[in-house]
Amino acid sequence: MTLRAQAEQALNSIAAFADGREQITCLEAGQQLRCDLSGLDRMACAIELFEVQSAAIAGASIDRLKSIAETLSKRLTYLLEPISPIETDAHQCIVQLRSNPPQQNESGRSYYELLVATGGHLRLCRFTKEPGNPRRAIPAQFTREVLLRLVSDFASCSA
């Protein structure tokens, strides 16, 4: 069963909740999905952390990770903001992508951050930065359909 099918089955097995924590973990052919939920209803979910770890890219070169980052930036056009690579750390073998441009309003800005890293980790989180304060992680709001699409896109890019 694919990661997407497993994730859909897991989502359907969790009762709706508005305040709490649930974790979805799925394994398939050298890939592991971890999704930390802080809310779930019939249509949508609040995601604290979304990560796919893939054995196929665990020892990937920085050029391969940059290629994965570029592919993801072209595929993830359905997020609130487009994302693009902003930094490559060849020494630590990490490519960082962020919303470009971030969502901005009177209380600050919010953005996605995606890390493509050595060890085969692809991790997506959402942050907010208010003036005068450090950034902090906030839940990303996705429909169930978008979440399952993320699973498919991350899985195919890290195979």
Side-chain angles (χ1 to χ4, degrees), residues 74-113:
K74 290 175 184 165
R75 281 192 183 185
L76 303 181
T77 58
Y78 48 87
L79 298 177
L80 287 174
E81 309 97 23
I83 63 168
S84 60
I86 62 161
E87 186 176 349
T88 300
D89 183 336
H91 180 68
Q92 292 189 29
C93 218
I94 297 173
V95 180
Q96 181 182 39
L97 298 89
R98 282 204 183 148
S99 298
N100 187 19
Q103 189 177 71
Q104 190 129 3
N105 60 33
E106 61 280 348
S107 62
R109 61 185 186 271
S110 299
Y111 55 91
Y112 294 107
E113 181 174 274

Side-chain angles (χ1 to χ4, degrees), residues 114-125:
L114 171 58
L115 299 177
V116 180
T118 190
H121 297 278
L122 286 75
R123 177 180 288 187
L124 179 69
C125 295

Side-chain angles (χ1 to χ4, degrees), residues 64-77:
R64 174 76 173 112
L65 297 180
K66 285 166 48 175
S67 175
I68 291 167
E70 283 294 329
T71 300
L72 283 169
S73 70
K74 290 175 184 165
R75 281 192 183 185
L76 303 181
T77 58

